[in-house]
Amino acid sequence: MKAALSLLPPLDQPATRDVDVVRIACLLTLAYVAMSGQGRGAAEAYLDAATELAGLDPEFRARCRVQSGLVHGRSGDLASASTELLLTRQERAWFTLLERCSLQLNRGNVLLALGRAAEAAASFDEAAALAESGGFDRQQFMARHNAGFARYLTGDLPGAISAITAAQEMDVDVERAPSLLDLGRVLHEAGLVDEALNTLDRAAAQCRARQEPLVMAEIDLERARVLRLADDIPAALAAARSSRDRMRRLGAHGLAVRAQATVLDCELMLSRGLARVSRSAVELAEDAAGRGDVDVQARSLVVAAEAYTRIGEPTMARQALESYPPSELGLVLRMRHAHAAVLTDLAENKVRSARARLMRAAAELGASQAGSAALDSRAARSVLTIRLARLDLGIALNQGPIPLLTALERWRSTGQALPIVRPPDDPGLADLTQTLRMLGQRVRDEPDSPAVPAWRQEMRRLRRRLTVRGLGHAQASGDASILPGVTESIGEVAAADRDFVWFFSHGPTLHGIAVVGGRKRVVRIGEAAAVTEIVRRARADLRVAAHPELGDLRPVVERSLAESLGRLDDLLIRPWRFRSGGVVIAGGYAVNQLPWGMLPSLRGVPVTVARSLTEWAGRQGAGPANVAVLTGPQLDFADTERQAVLSVWNGSASSPGPTASSADLVAALHEAEVVHVAAHGQHQPSSPLFSSLRMSDGDVYAHELPVTGVSAGHVVLSACEAGTAEVRPGGESLGLASTLVALGVRCVVAAVAPIRDDAAASVMARYHSSLAAGRPSDVALAEATATEAGPFVAMGSTWRLAG
């Protein structure tokens, strides 16, 4: 550039505008280059010279200011950089389309560094639109990906997934592995474990092709974390070791230490070399403490404590726990500490102390749903809840039915809130969440930075503020209803002429606790794996039986299904000898997905599948005849079903027409008491808020439904196994129907297996006739399926027509 300047006429001689253009361009380029080699002073000297030469020319001055913004950004003066780069929008006439696109990308990066992720996302969106209009594919890919990453930092996980996926779908030659790694992390946090693993595998393939060892090490570490949650511990261990070894070879000490912590955790879960694991974990904790990495220190100490308890050394476990850092850490780490402390208490025969810790942990998990749940891995939180609940149930099993029911209720209530996949509505909470996410990302990206201790300290302060503000916000705007206690709920079951049973697993065994005619019993049912296999066979037969063209295979499938249902009936229903007017079934085992009305002993018997005893008792209710009937596209008998339901309610029902939109669905949930939806559903096995219903204008995902303000007391989903849910180990039922119950709907009736459109329309006409006649929802469903037992299930509690 200096050589180019020397070829131009001297400054004291008249020059054409073209000469000034070249001179200013050279000076501005020199300013940017000088920032790296000579520092800000040299850069500003070139900028001043260019600005003086620009005079009052508006284009020249605009270009000088924008280059000043880029220099300020590289020097760390981010606020000035953001202001100057905004000129590309205000003075757009002086910049080419490609320049405007590139500078908006730069401004987005500056805003990210300033912690203003929402504004950054808007800047990246603008850059993407400019790139698309100009055909700049590489810039468009970058802008879309960065917009997704910015939305991830705000807590908008669906928005992040949509934007990053849109970038990945572009046909452009770019380095995709880092983008795929980011997408894998977002999918992981959203609970989409299978999709996360698939995405990370694609990222690994890209890395191997391009030979990028550091990115490959990061991918392996993320894969290890996801594989642990998928319960594939051997594969998780292999990935963690691979990550650790690569990072050590690259000299990335901080990242290698994190990978080693994951290696030790996996070895603990596999019970491999526990004496060595305990010693190595203590050494790793000491190393982490010396570097100020309190997260790795805490993780290592709880691994050491648990390993010591397993090899019969509770004194050493207690010593490890006494070294636990006093700093306020995230919820997942606090629950890991609680788990290790309870194990140590039990090893020392301190049962009372163990129970007290478990009760405090359950209370903290429940309270955290108002504030910090959005900041911790939902899947990791669920796994820890399961582990703590198992310890509590192990104690309660020896103490009688009421303590056992109380323990079951305690842990079920900790997991009943929906996972948070959108930023909080409260701007204050949203800002705190965004800042905390930004700091967490910096700690993860730069574990060896000298600024890490300060970042961690600020994260602890923000966690405290977020918890206080989140709880206050929940108390001010939350649900004022309080569920009854266990004893009162048992009375409600008797008053409603119902029996109750709760299925739960402890270790390899499936148990049940029932209240039949006021008498409480706990029964060991059998091996959980055996029951799971029978349920799997029954569900597979149900899916096959739904096909209209089975021919000679139909009798074979029907016999197999009848055999499985009969065996389940013998195991799960007959031992209790129910004798009331109906049955309430709770428990998060795979039996939650059974078509209970098809079991021989329950044909024609009112059945409700509840999330818990107290929730069934506390959410019974009645409502007015205010019915909305909505249908989606591509259902052969949808309009027949719609007309039948409308005629049953005789003027008390309304419909937007033969097909309804997503806006119609949201409005109905806000305004109607009974919402009947005949629409194709898509079940998402690993994350309930990504299940969907297909309406006339496209899929409506569960995360798009109104989280607050749902007034509907009863929802019917009549098509496409919309009641299907994935039941994770420990009892969390994930699906569209369970999401609606979590949103406040008292009762949801849905199919848990495929059903023909004509059969669904016939059952629904009978069901609504019984409902309109004043029958409770479980009784109405039993009557509607008495002669044609099918896969419909009533979930939640009981709803009936008021009056």
Side-chain angles (χ1 to χ4, degrees):
M1 287 299 165
K2 290 181 179 179
L5 283 174
S6 69
L7 296 175
L8 297 174
L11 285 171
D12 57 358
Q13 293 183 12
T16 65
R17 179 178 172 83
D18 289 342
V19 171
D20 287 341
V21 167
V22 174
R23 195 187 308 276
I24 290 172
C26 289
L27 289 168
L28 294 179
T29 303
L30 284 168
Y32 192 77
V33 173
M35 185 66 228
S36 298
Q38 299 168 268
R40 183 166 177 171
E44 288 183 339
Y46 286 118
L47 286 172
D48 290 343
T51 302
E52 182 179 353
L53 187 61
L56 298 178
D57 187 293
E59 179 182 354
F60 290 166
R61 291 187 66 84
R63 289 185 173 278
C64 288
R65 287 187 61 186
V66 165
Q67 192 72 342
S68 174
L70 293 174
V71 169
H72 285 145
R74 295 193 70 182
S75 70
D77 185 358
L78 301 177
S80 297
S82 173
T83 301
E84 299 289 32
L85 291 174
L86 193 59
L87 276 176
T88 58
R89 184 186 301 161
Q90 298 168 342
E91 304 284 350
R92 65 184 63 190
W94 310 121
F95 302 94
T96 68
L97 193 61
L98 180 57
E99 287 173 330
R100 287 165 56 200
C101 172
S102 298
L103 290 168
Q104 277 301 317
L105 275 168
N106 275 288
R107 184 167 183 268
N109 290 328
V110 168
L111 289 166
L112 273 184
L114 284 169
R116 291 153 59 181
E119 294 176 67
S123 186
F124 290 133
D125 285 341
E126 186 173 338
L130 292 168
E132 185 175 12
S133 65
F136 313 131
D137 289 346
R138 293 175 66 86
Q139 287 80 0
Q140 187 183 353
F141 177 92
M142 190 183 305
R144 285 183 171 182
H145 171 267
N146 289 0
F149 185 73
R151 287 188 169 85
Y152 163 68
L153 293 175
T154 69
D156 182 3
L157 302 186
I161 292 168
S162 176
I164 300 177
T165 301
Q168 286 296 328
E169 290 173 350
M170 292 183 63
D171 184 14
V172 56
D173 183 20
V174 294
E175 185 181 351
R176 295 180 180 270
S179 177
L180 286 167
L181 172 57
D182 285 340
L183 179 57
R185 286 169 172 162
V186 179
L187 291 166
H188 169 193
E189 185 168 338
L192 298 165
V193 175
D194 292 340
E195 288 84 347
L197 280 174
N198 179 268
T199 300
L200 293 168
D201 287 343
R202 289 166 55 204
Q206 290 281 326
C207 269
R208 282 190 286 270
R210 293 179 179 258
Q211 298 183 344
E212 298 168 324
L214 182 57
V215 179
M216 189 68 228
E218 293 183 272
I219 291 168
D220 273 339
L221 184 53
E222 187 66 20
R223 286 185 69 251
R225 291 167 176 158
V226 177
L227 285 163
R228 274 193 310 166
L229 299 174
D231 206 29
D232 189 349
I233 310 304
L237 176 59
R241 284 174 172 167
S242 174
S243 176
R244 177 198 62 194
D245 295 344
R246 278 195 174 93
M247 289 171 177
R248 284 175 175 171
R249 288 194 296 270
L250 294 167
H253 181 66
L255 292 171
V257 166
R258 291 188 173 193
Q260 173 63 3
T262 302
V263 167
L264 293 175
D265 205 0
C266 291
E267 290 178 333
L268 171 68
M269 297 174 76
L270 291 170
S271 297
R272 291 184 180 176
L274 292 178
R276 175 187 53 79
V277 167
S278 59
R279 292 192 301 271
S280 298
V282 169
E283 292 170 1
L284 191 64
E286 291 171 351
D287 176 74
R291 294 183 301 100
D293 190 342
V294 291
D295 282 357
V296 171
Q297 180 190 6
R299 284 176 60 194
S300 302
L301 287 170
V302 295
V303 167
E306 186 168 339
Y308 278 129
T309 61
R310 291 195 191 181
I311 60 176
E313 296 189 26
T315 302
M316 297 297 293
R318 185 68 64 190
Q319 288 179 10
L321 292 175
E322 288 171 354
S323 301
Y324 194 81
S327 304
E328 183 169 337
L329 301 170
L331 177 72
V332 167
L333 273 174
R334 296 200 300 276
M335 293 302 103
R336 284 294 305 266
H337 177 266
H339 183 258
V342 170
L343 285 175
T344 305
D345 283 339
L346 292 175
E348 295 175 335
N349 202 29
K350 298 177 180 177
V351 177
R352 183 174 297 180
S353 174
R355 285 192 65 201
R357 288 186 197 275
L358 288 164
M359 292 174 69
R360 288 195 298 270
E364 185 175 2
L365 280 164
S368 74
Q369 296 175 99
S372 66
L375 307 173
D376 293 282
S377 165
R378 167 76 177 184
R381 181 178 178 273
S382 296
V383 167
L384 283 167
T385 300
I386 292 164
R387 292 182 186 176
L388 291 163
R390 284 173 180 164
L391 295 176
D392 203 1
L393 291 178
I395 296 171
L397 270 170
N398 300 316
Q399 297 180 334
I402 295 298
L404 180 56
L405 278 172
T406 302
L408 287 166
E409 288 283 352
R410 177 159 50 239
W411 295 100
R412 180 49 53 89
S413 64
T414 64
Q416 286 182 348
L418 290 171
I420 301 170
V421 296
R422 293 284 193 189
D425 293 332
D426 176 18
L429 280 173
D431 288 345
L432 288 171
T433 301
Q434 179 177 305
T435 305
L436 188 51
R437 280 178 172 274
M438 294 283 294
L439 287 170
Q441 186 67 30
R442 287 178 185 171
V443 169
R444 182 170 65 188
D445 290 344
E446 305 173 55
D448 295 319
S449 168
V452 165
W455 292 340
R456 292 187 183 281
Q457 184 176 359
E458 178 65 8
M459 288 174 69
R460 292 193 290 273
R461 186 183 70 82
L462 289 171
R463 281 195 184 102
R464 288 193 294 270
R465 287 185 59 196
L466 187 67
T467 299
V468 171
R469 181 156 188 158
L471 290 174
H473 182 71
Q475 290 166 1
S477 60
D479 185 0
S481 65
I482 298 176
L483 295 178
V486 169
T487 302
E488 184 181 352
S489 297
I490 291 173
E492 290 286 341
V493 168
D497 190 25
R498 301 290 189 271
D499 290 327
F500 173 83
V501 61
W502 193 323
F503 297 106
F504 65 96
S505 59
H506 182 66
T509 306
L510 180 65
H511 299 264
I513 178 169
V515 182
V516 180
R519 181 169 173 248
K520 297 175 282 293
R521 278 200 302 150
V522 181
V523 171
R524 180 190 182 281
I525 293 171
E527 293 299 310
V531 178
T532 300
E533 176 57 22
I534 301 171
V535 172
R536 187 198 64 76
R537 288 204 306 266
R539 289 179 55 76
D541 287 340
L542 279 167
R543 297 189 67 83
V544 175
H547 289 285
E549 299 177 0
L550 279 180
D552 294 340
L553 286 177
R554 182 168 296 281
V556 177
V557 173
E558 289 178 347
R559 280 197 301 272
S560 175
L561 175 60
E563 180 183 346
S564 295
L565 293 175
R567 180 65 180 139
L568 290 169
D569 193 52
D570 291 339
L571 286 169
L572 303 177
I573 301 302
R574 292 187 184 278
W576 307 108
R577 298 180 182 178
F578 296 127
R579 56 173 181 256
S580 67
V583 180
V584 178
I585 299 172
Y589 206 71
V591 292
N592 256 357
Q593 287 303 292
L594 277 176
W596 292 98
M598 297 181 72
L599 268 62
S601 297
L602 295 179
R603 290 285 180 92
V605 176
V607 178
T608 299
V609 176
R611 297 201 297 179
S612 74
L613 169 65
T614 61
E615 188 172 278
W616 178 86
R619 294 182 66 177
Q620 299 175 88
N626 174 14
V627 183
V629 186
L630 298 89
T631 53
Q634 299 176 338
L635 281 173
D636 292 340
F637 287 82
D639 198 54
T640 301
E641 182 177 323
R642 182 178 72 91
Q643 296 290 353
V645 175
L646 287 172
S647 65
V648 163
W649 289 98
N650 192 26
S652 298
S654 62
S655 172
T659 56
S661 68
S662 56
D664 293 328
L665 176 60
V666 172
L669 290 170
H670 273 302
E671 299 164 6
E673 175 66 19
V674 178
V675 180
H676 181 101
V677 185
H680 285 294
Q682 182 178 5
H683 168 55
Q684 174 48 253
S686 53
S687 188
L689 291 184
F690 290 86
S691 296
S692 61
L693 287 170
R694 188 182 307 161
M695 307 308 290
S696 62
D697 54 347
D699 289 343
V700 181
Y701 291 93
H703 62 70
E704 297 176 302
L705 300 178
V707 176
T708 58
V710 172
S711 66
H714 184 29
V715 174
V716 181
L717 305 174
S718 66
C720 264
E721 54 183 327
T724 300
E726 186 77 5
V727 183
R728 287 179 176 169
E732 188 177 19
S733 181
L734 305 180
L736 190 60
S738 60
T739 297
L740 287 166
V741 173
L743 288 171
V745 178
R746 295 182 187 276
C747 176
V748 176
V749 166
V752 297
I755 184 169
R756 300 191 320 273
D757 294 352
D758 57 339
S762 174
V763 171
M764 285 298 104
R766 296 195 297 273
Y767 175 68
H768 279 276
S769 294
S770 292
L771 210 61
R775 307 283 198 279
S777 50
D778 57 347
V779 175
L781 186 60
E783 292 179 349
T785 57
T787 58
E788 188 181 356
F792 285 103
V793 174
M795 307 176 193
S797 188
T798 305
W799 183 92
R800 69 186 307 162
L801 182 63

